[in-house]
Amino acid sequence: MDITPYVDTLRRDLVAAAEAGGDELKQAAERLAYALDPSARLALMEAISHAAAEITSELPEGSVDVRLVGRELDFVVEVAPPVALPAPPPPPAPPAPPEEPDGDLARITLRIPEAVKARAEEKAAAAGQSLNTWLVGVIRGATSEHSINVDIDLSSVPFVGYDPFAASRKEGRGTRRMSGWV
């Protein structure tokens, strides 16, 4: 920041005020104005430094410094890095299958897309279960007497921040719709 225009304004104002007293006073004011140049610069720099200190004291983090570079002032503003928002918590894993006697075991063949199988394996691993155990738990939950089939259209609900459906739209799988068993 160049403070020369401000010092020049002070000099012009002093000379303009002295014009009322005649030429001799005007010439004395001009000489005085040039003599006061360093003092005026120093006073302006001090005022700006105090302003920077007040701004720094009001900031929650960071600072504003004023540095002299030649005859110009340079402002250095340091701010805290932005705070990252925490990642949304992962969805809860399905409950472990209850220990209930089911009788004989039956074998089935299940054909699902490879991507669905991969996601199911990830969920099973996150729950600390084998894929088979995890699938049995999901099917038990869906077929229990107390289960409720849910199909909710959330397309009119605005999501601020985290949108749980963003990934499915990127993969081309549709809209904000949630279905399953509770």
Side-chain angles (χ1 to χ4, degrees), residues 39-54:
S39 294
R41 286 182 181 279
L42 185 59
L44 283 171
M45 287 189 284
E46 283 184 33
I48 291 170
S49 293
H50 286 290
E54 284 187 34

mmCIF file with all atom_site columns, all heavy atoms in Angstrom, residues 39-54:
data_model
loop_
_atom_site.group_PDB
_atom_site.id
_atom_site.type_symbol
_atom_site.label_atom_id
_atom_site.label_alt_id
_atom_site.label_comp_id
_atom_site.label_asym_id
_atom_site.label_entity_id
_atom_site.label_seq_id
_atom_site.pdbx_PDB_ins_code
_atom_site.Cartn_x
_atom_site.Cartn_y
_atom_site.Cartn_z
_atom_site.occupancy
_atom_site.B_iso_or_equiv
_atom_site.pdbx_formal_charge
_atom_site.auth_seq_id
_atom_site.auth_comp_id
_atom_site.auth_asym_id
_atom_site.auth_atom_id
_atom_site.pdbx_PDB_model_num
ATOM 1   N N   . SER A 1 39 ? 7.346  12.502 9.467  1.00 0.00 ? 39 SER A N   1
ATOM 2   C CA  . SER A 1 39 ? 6.495  12.329 10.642 1.00 0.00 ? 39 SER A CA  1
ATOM 3   C C   . SER A 1 39 ? 5.087  11.892 10.244 1.00 0.00 ? 39 SER A C   1
ATOM 4   O O   . SER A 1 39 ? 4.476  11.055 10.916 1.00 0.00 ? 39 SER A O   1
ATOM 5   C CB  . SER A 1 39 ? 6.413  13.630 11.441 1.00 0.00 ? 39 SER A CB  1
ATOM 6   O OG  . SER A 1 39 ? 7.669  13.949 11.981 1.00 0.00 ? 39 SER A OG  1
ATOM 7   N N   . ALA A 1 40 ? 4.575  12.466 9.164  1.00 0.00 ? 40 ALA A N   1
ATOM 8   C CA  . ALA A 1 40 ? 3.235  12.088 8.701  1.00 0.00 ? 40 ALA A CA  1
ATOM 9   C C   . ALA A 1 40 ? 3.221  10.630 8.256  1.00 0.00 ? 40 ALA A C   1
ATOM 10  O O   . ALA A 1 40 ? 2.282  9.876  8.558  1.00 0.00 ? 40 ALA A O   1
ATOM 11  C CB  . ALA A 1 40 ? 2.803  13.010 7.560  1.00 0.00 ? 40 ALA A CB  1
ATOM 12  N N   . ARG A 1 41 ? 4.268  10.211 7.534  1.00 0.00 ? 41 ARG A N   1
ATOM 13  C CA  . ARG A 1 41 ? 4.356  8.804  7.105  1.00 0.00 ? 41 ARG A CA  1
ATOM 14  C C   . ARG A 1 41 ? 4.390  7.871  8.315  1.00 0.00 ? 41 ARG A C   1
ATOM 15  O O   . ARG A 1 41 ? 3.698  6.849  8.347  1.00 0.00 ? 41 ARG A O   1
ATOM 16  C CB  . ARG A 1 41 ? 5.609  8.578  6.256  1.00 0.00 ? 41 ARG A CB  1
ATOM 17  C CG  . ARG A 1 41 ? 5.507  9.133  4.879  1.00 0.00 ? 41 ARG A CG  1
ATOM 18  C CD  . ARG A 1 41 ? 6.776  8.838  4.062  1.00 0.00 ? 41 ARG A CD  1
ATOM 19  N NE  . ARG A 1 41 ? 6.627  9.419  2.751  1.00 0.00 ? 41 ARG A NE  1
ATOM 20  C CZ  . ARG A 1 41 ? 5.954  8.865  1.765  1.00 0.00 ? 41 ARG A CZ  1
ATOM 21  N NH1 . ARG A 1 41 ? 5.360  7.720  1.940  1.00 0.00 ? 41 ARG A NH1 1
ATOM 22  N NH2 . ARG A 1 41 ? 5.860  9.476  0.600  1.00 0.00 ? 41 ARG A NH2 1
ATOM 23  N N   . LEU A 1 42 ? 5.197  8.218  9.302  1.00 0.00 ? 42 LEU A N   1
ATOM 24  C CA  . LEU A 1 42 ? 5.312  7.394  10.503 1.00 0.00 ? 42 LEU A CA  1
ATOM 25  C C   . LEU A 1 42 ? 3.978  7.319  11.247 1.00 0.00 ? 42 LEU A C   1
ATOM 26  O O   . LEU A 1 42 ? 3.563  6.243  11.702 1.00 0.00 ? 42 LEU A O   1
ATOM 27  C CB  . LEU A 1 42 ? 6.402  7.944  11.422 1.00 0.00 ? 42 LEU A CB  1
ATOM 28  C CG  . LEU A 1 42 ? 6.711  7.111  12.667 1.00 0.00 ? 42 LEU A CG  1
ATOM 29  C CD1 . LEU A 1 42 ? 7.149  5.710  12.286 1.00 0.00 ? 42 LEU A CD1 1
ATOM 30  C CD2 . LEU A 1 42 ? 7.777  7.801  13.503 1.00 0.00 ? 42 LEU A CD2 1
ATOM 31  N N   . ALA A 1 43 ? 3.273  8.438  11.353 1.00 0.00 ? 43 ALA A N   1
ATOM 32  C CA  . ALA A 1 43 ? 1.976  8.446  12.042 1.00 0.00 ? 43 ALA A CA  1
ATOM 33  C C   . ALA A 1 43 ? 0.971  7.560  11.299 1.00 0.00 ? 43 ALA A C   1
ATOM 34  O O   . ALA A 1 43 ? 0.212  6.803  11.931 1.00 0.00 ? 43 ALA A O   1
ATOM 35  C CB  . ALA A 1 43 ? 1.454  9.877  12.152 1.00 0.00 ? 43 ALA A CB  1
ATOM 36  N N   . LEU A 1 44 ? 0.951  7.637  9.959  1.00 0.00 ? 44 LEU A N   1
ATOM 37  C CA  . LEU A 1 44 ? 0.042  6.783  9.184  1.00 0.00 ? 44 LEU A CA  1
ATOM 38  C C   . LEU A 1 44 ? 0.395  5.305  9.353  1.00 0.00 ? 44 LEU A C   1
ATOM 39  O O   . LEU A 1 44 ? -0.493 4.456  9.517  1.00 0.00 ? 44 LEU A O   1
ATOM 40  C CB  . LEU A 1 44 ? 0.084  7.161  7.700  1.00 0.00 ? 44 LEU A CB  1
ATOM 41  C CG  . LEU A 1 44 ? -0.676 8.418  7.318  1.00 0.00 ? 44 LEU A CG  1
ATOM 42  C CD1 . LEU A 1 44 ? -0.383 8.802  5.865  1.00 0.00 ? 44 LEU A CD1 1
ATOM 43  C CD2 . LEU A 1 44 ? -2.170 8.204  7.495  1.00 0.00 ? 44 LEU A CD2 1
ATOM 44  N N   . MET A 1 45 ? 1.693  4.977  9.320  1.00 0.00 ? 45 MET A N   1
ATOM 45  C CA  . MET A 1 45 ? 2.103  3.581  9.481  1.00 0.00 ? 45 MET A CA  1
ATOM 46  C C   . MET A 1 45 ? 1.716  3.049  10.862 1.00 0.00 ? 45 MET A C   1
ATOM 47  O O   . MET A 1 45 ? 1.271  1.907  10.993 1.00 0.00 ? 45 MET A O   1
ATOM 48  C CB  . MET A 1 45 ? 3.608  3.442  9.254  1.00 0.00 ? 45 MET A CB  1
ATOM 49  C CG  . MET A 1 45 ? 3.990  3.570  7.780  1.00 0.00 ? 45 MET A CG  1
ATOM 50  S SD  . MET A 1 45 ? 5.694  3.161  7.427  1.00 0.00 ? 45 MET A SD  1
ATOM 51  C CE  . MET A 1 45 ? 6.547  4.608  8.035  1.00 0.00 ? 45 MET A CE  1
ATOM 52  N N   . GLU A 1 46 ? 1.863  3.875  11.884 1.00 0.00 ? 46 GLU A N   1
ATOM 53  C CA  . GLU A 1 46 ? 1.476  3.441  13.232 1.00 0.00 ? 46 GLU A CA  1
ATOM 54  C C   . GLU A 1 46 ? -0.027 3.199  13.313 1.00 0.00 ? 46 GLU A C   1
ATOM 55  O O   . GLU A 1 46 ? -0.473 2.218  13.910 1.00 0.00 ? 46 GLU A O   1
ATOM 56  C CB  . GLU A 1 46 ? 1.901  4.480  14.264 1.00 0.00 ? 46 GLU A CB  1
ATOM 57  C CG  . GLU A 1 46 ? 3.373  4.456  14.582 1.00 0.00 ? 46 GLU A CG  1
ATOM 58  C CD  . GLU A 1 46 ? 3.746  5.444  15.678 1.00 0.00 ? 46 GLU A CD  1
ATOM 59  O OE1 . GLU A 1 46 ? 2.920  5.683  16.584 1.00 0.00 ? 46 GLU A OE1 1
ATOM 60  O OE2 . GLU A 1 46 ? 4.870  5.965  15.611 1.00 0.00 ? 46 GLU A OE2 1
ATOM 61  N N   . ALA A 1 47 ? -0.808 4.083  12.720 1.00 0.00 ? 47 ALA A N   1
ATOM 62  C CA  . ALA A 1 47 ? -2.264 3.914  12.752 1.00 0.00 ? 47 ALA A CA  1
ATOM 63  C C   . ALA A 1 47 ? -2.669 2.629  12.027 1.00 0.00 ? 47 ALA A C   1
ATOM 64  O O   . ALA A 1 47 ? -3.524 1.864  12.512 1.00 0.00 ? 47 ALA A O   1
ATOM 65  C CB  . ALA A 1 47 ? -2.946 5.125  12.108 1.00 0.00 ? 47 ALA A CB  1
ATOM 66  N N   . ILE A 1 48 ? -2.046 2.366  10.889 1.00 0.00 ? 48 ILE A N   1
ATOM 67  C CA  . ILE A 1 48 ? -2.369 1.152  10.129 1.00 0.00 ? 48 ILE A CA  1
ATOM 68  C C   . ILE A 1 48 ? -1.919 -0.089 10.897 1.00 0.00 ? 48 ILE A C   1
ATOM 69  O O   . ILE A 1 48 ? -2.627 -1.110 10.924 1.00 0.00 ? 48 ILE A O   1
ATOM 70  C CB  . ILE A 1 48 ? -1.744 1.229  8.724  1.00 0.00 ? 48 ILE A CB  1
ATOM 71  C CG1 . ILE A 1 48 ? -2.458 2.320  7.916  1.00 0.00 ? 48 ILE A CG1 1
ATOM 72  C CG2 . ILE A 1 48 ? -1.824 -0.104 8.005  1.00 0.00 ? 48 ILE A CG2 1
ATOM 73  C CD1 . ILE A 1 48 ? -1.782 2.668  6.597  1.00 0.00 ? 48 ILE A CD1 1
ATOM 74  N N   . SER A 1 49 ? -0.771 -0.036 11.558 1.00 0.00 ? 49 SER A N   1
ATOM 75  C CA  . SER A 1 49 ? -0.296 -1.171 12.359 1.00 0.00 ? 49 SER A CA  1
ATOM 76  C C   . SER A 1 49 ? -1.241 -1.462 13.524 1.00 0.00 ? 49 SER A C   1
ATOM 77  O O   . SER A 1 49 ? -1.522 -2.620 13.830 1.00 0.00 ? 49 SER A O   1
ATOM 78  C CB  . SER A 1 49 ? 1.109  -0.895 12.898 1.00 0.00 ? 49 SER A CB  1
ATOM 79  O OG  . SER A 1 49 ? 2.030  -0.857 11.839 1.00 0.00 ? 49 SER A OG  1
ATOM 80  N N   . HIS A 1 50 ? -1.736 -0.409 14.165 1.00 0.00 ? 50 HIS A N   1
ATOM 81  C CA  . HIS A 1 50 ? -2.701 -0.605 15.256 1.00 0.00 ? 50 HIS A CA  1
ATOM 82  C C   . HIS A 1 50 ? -4.001 -1.202 14.725 1.00 0.00 ? 50 HIS A C   1
ATOM 83  O O   . HIS A 1 50 ? -4.602 -2.068 15.372 1.00 0.00 ? 50 HIS A O   1
ATOM 84  C CB  . HIS A 1 50 ? -2.975 0.713  15.997 1.00 0.00 ? 50 HIS A CB  1
ATOM 85  C CG  . HIS A 1 50 ? -1.856 1.139  16.886 1.00 0.00 ? 50 HIS A CG  1
ATOM 86  N ND1 . HIS A 1 50 ? -1.520 0.483  18.043 1.00 0.00 ? 50 HIS A ND1 1
ATOM 87  C CD2 . HIS A 1 50 ? -0.971 2.160  16.771 1.00 0.00 ? 50 HIS A CD2 1
ATOM 88  C CE1 . HIS A 1 50 ? -0.491 1.070  18.608 1.00 0.00 ? 50 HIS A CE1 1
ATOM 89  N NE2 . HIS A 1 50 ? -0.123 2.104  17.856 1.00 0.00 ? 50 HIS A NE2 1
ATOM 90  N N   . ALA A 1 51 ? -4.434 -0.774 13.570 1.00 0.00 ? 51 ALA A N   1
ATOM 91  C CA  . ALA A 1 51 ? -5.656 -1.336 12.969 1.00 0.00 ? 51 ALA A CA  1
ATOM 92  C C   . ALA A 1 51 ? -5.456 -2.826 12.673 1.00 0.00 ? 51 ALA A C   1
ATOM 93  O O   . ALA A 1 51 ? -6.346 -3.647 12.934 1.00 0.00 ? 51 ALA A O   1
ATOM 94  C CB  . ALA A 1 51 ? -6.015 -0.579 11.694 1.00 0.00 ? 51 ALA A CB  1
ATOM 95  N N   . ALA A 1 52 ? -4.296 -3.193 12.139 1.00 0.00 ? 52 ALA A N   1
ATOM 96  C CA  . ALA A 1 52 ? -4.012 -4.604 11.856 1.00 0.00 ? 52 ALA A CA  1
ATOM 97  C C   . ALA A 1 52 ? -4.005 -5.427 13.147 1.00 0.00 ? 52 ALA A C   1
ATOM 98  O O   . ALA A 1 52 ? -4.502 -6.553 13.180 1.00 0.00 ? 52 ALA A O   1
ATOM 99  C CB  . ALA A 1 52 ? -2.683 -4.745 11.124 1.00 0.00 ? 52 ALA A CB  1
ATOM 100 N N   . ALA A 1 53 ? -3.458 -4.862 14.216 1.00 0.00 ? 53 ALA A N   1
ATOM 101 C CA  . ALA A 1 53 ? -3.440 -5.568 15.505 1.00 0.00 ? 53 ALA A CA  1
ATOM 102 C C   . ALA A 1 53 ? -4.855 -5.770 16.043 1.00 0.00 ? 53 ALA A C   1
ATOM 103 O O   . ALA A 1 53 ? -5.176 -6.832 16.588 1.00 0.00 ? 53 ALA A O   1
ATOM 104 C CB  . ALA A 1 53 ? -2.587 -4.797 16.509 1.00 0.00 ? 53 ALA A CB  1
ATOM 105 N N   . GLU A 1 54 ? -5.722 -4.774 15.880 1.00 0.00 ? 54 GLU A N   1
ATOM 106 C CA  . GLU A 1 54 ? -7.114 -4.916 16.327 1.00 0.00 ? 54 GLU A CA  1
ATOM 107 C C   . GLU A 1 54 ? -7.844 -5.966 15.507 1.00 0.00 ? 54 GLU A C   1
ATOM 108 O O   . GLU A 1 54 ? -8.621 -6.757 16.047 1.00 0.00 ? 54 GLU A O   1
ATOM 109 C CB  . GLU A 1 54 ? -7.839 -3.571 16.249 1.00 0.00 ? 54 GLU A CB  1
ATOM 110 C CG  . GLU A 1 54 ? -7.464 -2.623 17.361 1.00 0.00 ? 54 GLU A CG  1
ATOM 111 C CD  . GLU A 1 54 ? -8.324 -1.368 17.354 1.00 0.00 ? 54 GLU A CD  1
ATOM 112 O OE1 . GLU A 1 54 ? -9.518 -1.451 17.009 1.00 0.00 ? 54 GLU A OE1 1
ATOM 113 O OE2 . GLU A 1 54 ? -7.787 -0.299 17.704 1.00 0.00 ? 54 GLU A OE2 1
#
